[in-house]
């Protein structure tokens, strides 16, 4: 063919359905006999369940069943990331509750209103227990508050000490970096509909991975996997938090099986805010530098508040550790981490899952070091970047970096933002005593995409009418998979995009798959589709060669989307003819394995104004230059960049989940939780450099989480840069006006020494 559709801006096929409201989400489904589930949740953060009286609730009109831990019929939900058997939980609390919002009972009724009314009649007698809200203290003292039978609420992983860790450093800079707890806030909250009336238990779930979710729920129910079908219909955002199954999914499924009728649960926004949470790490850091501006050693201790039932949140420091050195050639690294259970909601994943924490820490420390040494932050980074000729390489913490040209992204971002002119403006405004301070912050990051598992499933089939179908084991929840993946088939086979159907996220229609997470879809799912398409093309070329009496080597896809003889105009056959030339279908099903995780990178620069009289931070410019290798569709990439930047800014300036000292959540609605809208943002400038990877046939890396990872430290560095001449070096996230104003007021106070954690 004359040219490739890959790398061009193709408008997303999915958007018409979404914009017209035709997409069917789990909450839109209404099978016959549908029942509604509603959970009774604990109002106390920690307590023994002395008794549950469900009698009045069971007698309410419209109520079909009321379940507690004793009657639900499932003892334990299979943990997705098991850390310790003591942290396991059932679908409903048994004996003890450990956070506000933990499900204690479930009412199933003919209508949601009837279920809610009955839930109000359930009387639960709680005997309060001491509340633990300080993960750092729990790790330090090893006390057992939540899990006395375990003997401790904490776990710690200490690696072998590095001898002479900071011996090459002229000075060691110390920092304490707080990664604020956030709510994920997907547009669609969690949902599950379980229907036991067919040959299988069929579940519609708002999930990022139908196959992993099927495995988790089936195992929890004691069923074979082929007894359960999971369908992910349209999903309104996942961001890592919908990567697996939840206790509510299992409870609803168990109830449906007992009742023999379909049961649905749609999470409320309040339920979502008090349960779907992420981030929340505290990093203690020592960075060794030389007087000429080289980073030579890094020491990090990470403490995680993993919430009431430690699982994925406690695993994420393993990824944080891999990415600890960022884009820099730091040779000596000591990285230890611990976690503690607390009476907060269990901690999960959110857009980046461990990588944002690594980037925020090393980029804050880079700015602290540059300020300490009197070196411009851009120049400081240039002195420490890994060079293009260093790749591929393995970092001291085990990151197998594939490719990188970090200075290229930094230089592009500086050009786009007008860095030198901004520094001149900043100096002039300071000299004039302007109370609105200008701040310029940057973040040069690297992340890992598809960090676990390098295999994905795909099927490509060409039908007798010349149309095609592609299916894949990843699952879209807004990224544009349908467009990007059909583009690959169209490019390889020459079939028009509008004649290619796309199938995903249904365990009955797709044999297997790893789902979507860790920005794995393009490099794994896309590579699998590429491989299947090329095998289809090989078969088709053989058939076309026979029909045209030519050599297989001479058969090409023509500009008209036919299979013809190279250099012989008119000697071509259609896909319909090729399919008809044999008795068996023109279909390839395979599992494709790529050669490893990839490491996208980039530089973000944020420009802010800080009002020193009020502490208000105003975004003025934001430039994001990201490198995800070859771009399948630049329009989709730009959309991912915009969304990621918005998410990263949200963490930096607005978002945090608040609790009081008794474990009561204070951010239970969007009037309390400061989720930013478009009105809070400036215009974003997004751009890309292209450094292909050699690890997959498309040369692509992930882009879904990159911009979030780069954005947060750029904003924090910008705000602190605006106030740096006042001696301010630390302001914890989020940078609310109150926190910024308080830092300005106390700027003349002696700095508080950072105490290294006692472990």
């Amino acid at each position: 063919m004359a040219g490739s559709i890959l790398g061009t801006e193709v408008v997303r096929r999915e958007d018409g359905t979404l914009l017209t409201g035709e997409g069917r989400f789990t909450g839109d489904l209404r099978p016959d006999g549908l029942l509604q589930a509603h959970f009774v949740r604990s109002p106390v953060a920690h307590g023994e369940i002395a008794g549950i009286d469900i009698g009045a609730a069971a007698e309410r009109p419209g109520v079909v069943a009321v379940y507690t831990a004793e009657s639900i019929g499932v003892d334990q939900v299979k943990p997705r990331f098991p850390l310790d058997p003591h942290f396991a939980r059932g679908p409903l609390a048994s004996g003890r509750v450990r956070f506000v919002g933990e499900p204690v009972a479930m009412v199933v009724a003919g209508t949601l209103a009837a279920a809610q009314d009955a839930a109000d009649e359930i009387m639960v007698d709680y005997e309060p227990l001491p509340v633990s809200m300080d993960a750092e203290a729990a790790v330090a003292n090893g006390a057992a508050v939540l899990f006395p039978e375990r003997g401790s609420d904490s776990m710690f992983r200490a690696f072998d000490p590095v001898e002479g860790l900071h011996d090459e450093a002229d000075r060691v800079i110390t920092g304490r970096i707080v990664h604020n707890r956030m709510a994920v806030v997907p547009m669609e909250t969690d949902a599950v509909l379980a229907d036991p009336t067919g040959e299988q238990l069929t579940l519609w779930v708002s999930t990022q991975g139908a196959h992993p979710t099927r495995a988790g729920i089936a195992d929890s129910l004691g069923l074979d996997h082929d007894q359960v079908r999971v369908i992910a219909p349209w999903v309104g955002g996942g961001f890592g938090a919908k990567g697996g199954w939840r206790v509510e999914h299992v409870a609803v499924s168990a109830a449906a099986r007992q009742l023999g009728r379909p049961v649905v649960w749609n999470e409320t926004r309040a339920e979502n805010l008090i349960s779907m949470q992420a981030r929340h790490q505290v990093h203690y850091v020592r960075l060794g530098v030389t007087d000429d501006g080289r980073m030579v050693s890094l020491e990090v201790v990470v403490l995680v508040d993993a919430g009431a039932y430690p699982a994925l949140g406690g695993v994420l420091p393993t990824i944080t550790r891999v990415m600890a050195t960022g884009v820099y050639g730091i040779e000596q690294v000591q990285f230890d981490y611990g976690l503690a259970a607390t009476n907060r909601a269990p901690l999960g994943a959110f857009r980046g899952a461990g990588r944002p924490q690594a980037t925020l820490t090393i980029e804050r420390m880079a700015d602290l070091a540059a300020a300490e040494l009197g070196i411009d932050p851009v120049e400081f980074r240039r002195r420490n970047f890994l060079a293009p000729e260093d790749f591929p390489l393995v970092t001291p913490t085990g990151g197998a970096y594939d490719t990188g040209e970090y200075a290229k992204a930094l230089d592009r971002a500086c050009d786009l933002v007008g860095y030198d002119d901004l520094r001149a403006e900043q100096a002039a405004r300071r000299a004039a005593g302007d109370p609105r301070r200008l701040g310029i912050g940057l973040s040069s990051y690297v992340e890992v995409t598809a960090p676990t598992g390098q295999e994905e499933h795909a099927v490509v089939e060409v039908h007798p009418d010349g149309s095609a179908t592609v299916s894949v084991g990843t699952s879209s929840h807004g990224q544009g998979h349908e467009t990007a993946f059909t583009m690959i088939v169209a490019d390889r086979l020459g079939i028009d995009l509008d004649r290619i159907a796309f199938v995903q996220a249904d365990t009955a229609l797709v044999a297997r798959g790893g789902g979507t997470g860790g920005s794995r879809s393009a490099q794994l799912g896309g590579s699998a589709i590429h491989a299947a398409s090329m095998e289809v093309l090989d078969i088709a070329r053989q058939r076309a060669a026979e029909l045209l009496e030519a050599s297989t080597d001479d058969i090409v896809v023509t500009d008209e989307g036919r299979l013809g003889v190279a250099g012989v105009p008119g000697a071509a056959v259609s896909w319909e003819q090729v399919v008809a030339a044999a008795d068996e279908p023109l279909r390839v099903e395979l599992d494709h394995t790529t050669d490893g995780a990839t490491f996208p990178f980039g530089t973000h620069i944020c420009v802010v104004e800080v009002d020193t009289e009020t502490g208000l931070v105003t975004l003025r410019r934001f430039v994001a230059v990201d490198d995800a290798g070859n771009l399948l569709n630049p329009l989709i990439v730009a959309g991912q960049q915009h969304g990621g930047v918005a998410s990263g800014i949200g963490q930096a300036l607005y978002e945090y989940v608040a609790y009081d000292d008794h474990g009561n959540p204070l951010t239970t609605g969007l009037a309390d939780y400061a989720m930013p809208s478009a009105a809070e943002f400036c215009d974003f400038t997004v751009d890309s450099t292209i450094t292909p990877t050699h690890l997959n046939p498309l040369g692509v890396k992930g882009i879904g989480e990159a911009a979030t990872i780069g954005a947060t430290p750029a904003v924090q560095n910008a705000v602190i840069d605006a106030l740096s001449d006042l001696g301010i070096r630390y302001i914890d996230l989020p940078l609310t006006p109150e926190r910024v104003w308080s830092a300005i007021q106390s700027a003349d106070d002696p700095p508080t020494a950072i105490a290294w954690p006692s472990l």
Side-chain angles (χ1 to χ4, degrees), residues 592-650:
H592 182 75
T593 302
T594 58
D595 293 332
T598 63
F599 291 79
F601 60 89
T603 291
H604 290 197
I605 299 179
C606 178
V607 184
V608 301
E609 288 182 338
V610 179
D611 189 331
T612 55
E613 296 176 348
T614 66
L616 179 66
V617 176
T618 302
L619 295 168
R620 178 167 152 179
R621 292 281 308 281
F622 199 102
V623 171
V625 177
D626 301 299
D627 194 311
N630 291 331
L631 307 183
L632 298 180
N633 185 328
L635 192 63
I636 290 178
V637 170
Q640 291 291 325
Q641 289 174 291
H642 276 259
V645 168
S647 177
I649 292 172

Side-chain angles (χ1 to χ4, degrees), residues 645-662:
V645 168
S647 177
I649 292 172
Q651 178 180 2
L653 295 182
Y654 305 106
E655 298 184 53
Y656 71 107
V657 173
Y659 288 83
D660 67 16
D661 294 340
H662 304 290

Side-chain angles (χ1 to χ4, degrees), residues 321-631:
R321 181 179 184 272
V322 169
M323 305 311 304
T325 56
V327 293
Y328 308 115
I330 306 172
E331 297 183 357
Q332 295 280 88
V333 182
Q334 176 73 40
F335 189 106
D336 305 315
Y337 59 86
L339 66 89
T342 68
N343 293 116
R344 291 182 172 89
L347 198 69
F350 176 53
R351 205 164 188 167
R355 291 100 81 199
Q357 292 92 326
T359 299
L360 180 62
T361 289
I362 194 62
E363 288 304 288
R364 268 307 301 139
M365 296 306 295
D367 260 30
L368 285 171
E372 175 83 10
L373 297 168
I375 302 173
D376 182 87
V378 169
E379 174 58 27
F380 183 80
R381 285 166 171 79
R382 285 197 180 109
R383 294 185 190 184
N384 287 282
F385 279 157
L386 292 164
E389 58 269 20
D390 294 333
F391 296 88
L393 61 89
V394 178
T395 70
T397 54
Y401 290 12
D402 52 346
T403 59
E405 293 191 43
Y406 303 145
K408 180 171 64 173
L410 174 64
D411 292 344
R412 178 62 176 160
C414 288
D415 289 344
L416 288 172
V417 82
Y419 185 78
D420 292 339
D421 291 341
L422 286 168
R423 285 296 180 198
E425 180 185 349
Q426 181 186 58
R429 290 173 65 161
R430 285 179 175 176
D434 191 338
R436 293 179 63 85
R437 299 297 187 92
L438 186 70
I440 307 107
L442 63 147
S443 166
S444 292
Y445 74 91
V446 62
E447 70 138 330
V448 56
T449 56
T452 57
Q454 295 302 313
E455 184 177 272
E456 194 48 85
H457 181 73
V459 179
V460 174
E461 180 173 2
V462 182
H463 304 295
D465 64 355
S467 66
T469 296
V470 57
S471 67
V472 67
T474 62
S475 180
S476 178
H477 43 282
Q479 299 92 329
H481 290 184
E482 179 176 349
T483 302
F485 289 163
T486 55
M487 286 175 65
I488 296 172
V489 177
D491 182 75
R492 299 303 185 245
L493 303 184
I495 299 173
D496 289 343
L497 272 177
D498 59 8
R499 302 201 71 207
I500 303 172
F502 178 63
V503 177
Q504 62 162 354
D506 184 337
T507 60
L509 301 179
V510 182
R512 53 197 166 273
T516 294
S519 298
R520 70 191 297 273
S521 292
Q523 64 200 72
L524 299 186
S527 294
I529 291 167
H530 160 82
S533 298
M534 295 308 295
E535 288 196 22
V536 165
L537 182 59
D538 287 343
I539 297 170
R541 291 174 66 230
Q542 294 171 14
R543 295 184 186 180
E546 295 174 0
L547 292 171
L548 296 169
E549 298 181 351
S551 169
T552 301
D553 293 339
D554 293 333
I555 300 299
V556 297
V557 178
T558 70
D559 292 344
E560 294 78 26
R562 294 160 64 86
L563 294 166
V565 180
V568 184
V573 291
S574 68
W575 279 102
E576 292 92 326
Q577 292 172 292
V578 169
V579 174
D583 294 332
E584 65 271 13
L586 183 47
R587 180 180 188 273
V588 170
E589 178 176 2
L590 55 74
D591 297 296
H592 182 75
T593 302
T594 58
D595 293 332
T598 63
F599 291 79
F601 60 89
T603 291
H604 290 197
I605 299 179
C606 178
V607 184
V608 301
E609 288 182 338
V610 179
D611 189 331
T612 55
E613 296 176 348
T614 66
L616 179 66
V617 176
T618 302
L619 295 168
R620 178 167 152 179
R621 292 281 308 281
F622 199 102
V623 171
V625 177
D626 301 299
D627 194 311
N630 291 331
L631 307 183

